[in-house]
Amino acid sequence: MNKHTLWSLRLGYSAKQAKVIEETGLKSFLENSFAQKFTSEIPEFIQNSPKSFKELQSIRKKLKSSNPEEAKELLKKEQQTNSELKAWWIAKMMEDEFPLREKMTCFWHNHFVSTYQKVKVNNWIFQHNQILRENAFGNFKTLTKKIIQSNAMVSYLDNTDNRKGNLNENLSRELLELFTLGIGNYSEEDIKNGAKGLAGLGIGEDNAKYRMLFEDADSFTYLGETGNLKIDQMIDVIFKQPKIPFLLTRKILKWFIYDNPSEELVLYYGAYFKKVDFEIKPLLTKIFTEEFPKNNAGSKIKNPLEYIIHLIDELSIPTKNGKAIAFFIKDQGMDLFNQPNVKGWDGGNSWLTSQIFLQRNTIVDTLCNGKPFGQRRPENEDKMMENTAQKPLLSVKLNWKKNQDNKQIIAELGNRLLFQISENDQQDFEKILKYDFDSTTEGAENAVLRLFNFMAKLPEFQLI
């Protein structure tokens, strides 16, 4: 695979940015990515969802007093809004000229997990997503303080139930275990005491706030420091711990480059991360510019977003159907705003189970044939046939250079799609696109599309 294509896929979701990386260089691409503008405007589709705790209470009262059908409609409306939110985000991933901010937002989304399924308030989920986007390249400690004090997070990890005399340790535990230090770098006593410091931190109008009635004013010891600490002070203490850099550097390496990064790399980049005072931008710059020259293609399985957007881009399908993409990646185990648990998606080998691989091969056939995708199958088979007949075919156009022989075309596609090509693969490709292939003849486009279809079903296409 061409190195610029490889890094376009790693720092985005398709090969769309390969030419820019090749022409301007990786450093320039990163600078433009860091400078990419984004809007903080609230999308229109979310305007009518509850924004405040009072509005939420009002809707909950309405649900209790409604008949079952009315209650069902209210819940359905919010679920549809969440579906719109997924499509909105996917559109940003696909359309941004420099998609690294959205790639990093998705990284944070899977680090600081907070799901719609549990929170059930789209505006809080949107606020959570915007905090991640605004701080995607900022400071890790600053982001941690902001996101822990979001309404979505205190709701998702049950800190609304955490009060003096009746502590809930969920947020305190995950703050240490999954968000900052990692298992083995704190004690159970730290978790219990951390819950005291978080007691009373609950839902506010714009973000979480302490409620005096439920706070715990007693002094406690937390990771070696004693006092009546509140969340900002607790996070300051966490970021003084020697092991603080390594959980995140390991996860960043796994998200972008290696499913199994070496401990040597984790420690090396972690030491630098601490040196730059937990600033994300210089850390990413160092990781990407130092790993770029290395021969490390094929070290990471594409997640469902990387897979489907790459496929759609290669086939030049002019789809704006983010809902269809959201449905497909949900089937692949990557449901946006709804990870399976607070640990998030596992990644790595979990993206390539036999069932997922079969689904991926099926979608290759579907898209190469120009058929719509991402739709639920009707229970009635006749109805399914009828619905399929009514839907227009997608416009599929595979880009390849004409006036080349079969080996040149194989090399061109292989350079875009596969991190390596074995002798057996090459022989199979030459059986599909034979030595006497003529790009000027009728059916040449279909022949090259058959080659693409075959390549896209290989295990090598699943890796970057």
Side-chain angles (χ1 to χ4, degrees), residues 357-413:
F357 191 39
L358 180 61
Q359 288 173 343
R360 291 187 176 191
N361 285 351
T362 301
I363 203 72
V364 171
D365 285 336
T366 299
L367 292 178
C368 285
N369 289 321
K371 294 178 182 176
F373 72 105
Q375 308 296 326
R376 290 188 184 277
R377 294 180 181 176
E379 294 176 11
N380 186 293
E381 193 72 20
D382 294 333
K383 188 177 178 184
M384 183 172 76
M385 298 280 288
E386 180 186 327
N387 285 355
T388 304
Q390 289 172 352
K391 288 172 186 169
L393 292 176
L394 300 170
S395 173
V396 175
K397 179 175 171 51
L398 185 66
N399 293 316
W400 53 284
K401 293 176 186 174
K402 310 297 188 288
N403 302 318
Q404 296 186 107
D405 63 29
N406 67 324
K407 289 186 179 180
Q408 289 171 319
I409 293 168
I410 289 168
E412 180 191 347
L413 288 187

Side-chain angles (χ1 to χ4, degrees), residues 288-304:
F288 297 152
T289 54
E290 292 190 6
E291 297 307 306
F292 180 82
K294 297 180 183 178
N295 182 19
N296 50 29
S299 57
K300 176 182 177 293
I301 297 171
K302 289 176 188 168
N303 68 42

Side-chain angles (χ1 to χ4, degrees), residues 28-46:
S28 175
F29 177 82
L30 292 175
E31 287 168 8
N32 285 319
S33 296
F34 297 144
Q36 176 78 10
K37 297 277 192 279
F38 63 94
T39 180
S40 56
E41 186 179 339
I42 299 174
E44 187 177 342
F45 62 80
I46 210 170

Side-chain angles (χ1 to χ4, degrees), residues 104-230:
M104 197 65 195
T105 302
C106 201
F107 165 81
W108 290 122
H109 170 69
N110 199 49
H111 180 72
F112 291 114
V113 172
S114 184
T115 69
Y116 170 75
Q117 190 174 17
K118 175 80 178 282
V119 176
K120 291 186 169 60
V121 182
N122 282 301
N123 260 293
W124 294 350
I125 293 295
F126 173 74
Q127 287 168 355
H128 181 276
N129 191 249
Q130 279 291 84
I131 292 169
L132 303 180
R133 182 170 291 104
E134 289 166 4
N135 296 274
F137 302 134
N139 186 276
F140 179 32
K141 181 162 73 169
T142 301
L143 173 56
T144 303
K145 287 181 178 181
K146 288 182 178 181
I147 209 70
I148 296 300
Q149 295 176 78
S150 67
N151 283 336
M153 187 60 77
V154 296
S155 174
Y156 177 66
L157 287 176
D158 306 308
N159 211 66
T160 49
D161 299 330
N162 182 19
R163 55 196 64 186
K164 184 176 181 178
N166 188 23
L167 298 177
N168 185 300
E169 298 176 0
N170 286 2
L171 181 56
S172 177
R173 180 176 299 278
E174 305 313 349
L175 174 60
L176 296 175
E177 181 177 319
L178 295 178
F179 299 159
T180 57
L181 292 176
I183 293 173
N185 298 311
Y186 55 85
S187 70
E188 285 298 311
E189 195 65 23
D190 291 322
I191 290 171
K192 290 176 183 175
N193 288 338
K196 291 179 182 178
L198 290 166
L201 182 66
I203 304 300
E205 288 306 304
D206 297 317
N207 47 47
K209 68 175 185 180
Y210 279 98
R211 298 184 185 278
M212 192 180 299
L213 188 64
F214 303 132
E215 284 184 78
D216 192 325
D218 293 341
S219 181
F220 58 86
T221 300
Y222 187 67
L223 295 167
E225 295 202 18
T226 303
N228 176 224
L229 308 175
K230 297 303 178 188

Side-chain angles (χ1 to χ4, degrees), residues 318-332:
T319 180
K320 299 288 183 184
N321 195 347
K323 289 182 183 178
I325 294 172
F327 182 79
F328 171 76
I329 65 173
K330 179 182 178 181
D331 262 6
Q332 294 260 296

Side-chain angles (χ1 to χ4, degrees), residues 258-286:
Y258 303 100
D259 278 339
N260 297 293
S262 70
E263 200 62 22
E264 183 183 3
L265 281 181
V266 171
L267 295 175
Y268 171 69
Y269 288 120
Y272 179 77
F273 192 30
K274 187 174 183 180
K275 182 180 175 182
V276 295
D277 199 23
F278 309 105
E279 291 291 334
I280 296 296
K281 193 187 297 184
L283 174 66
L284 295 181
T285 301
K286 186 175 180 66

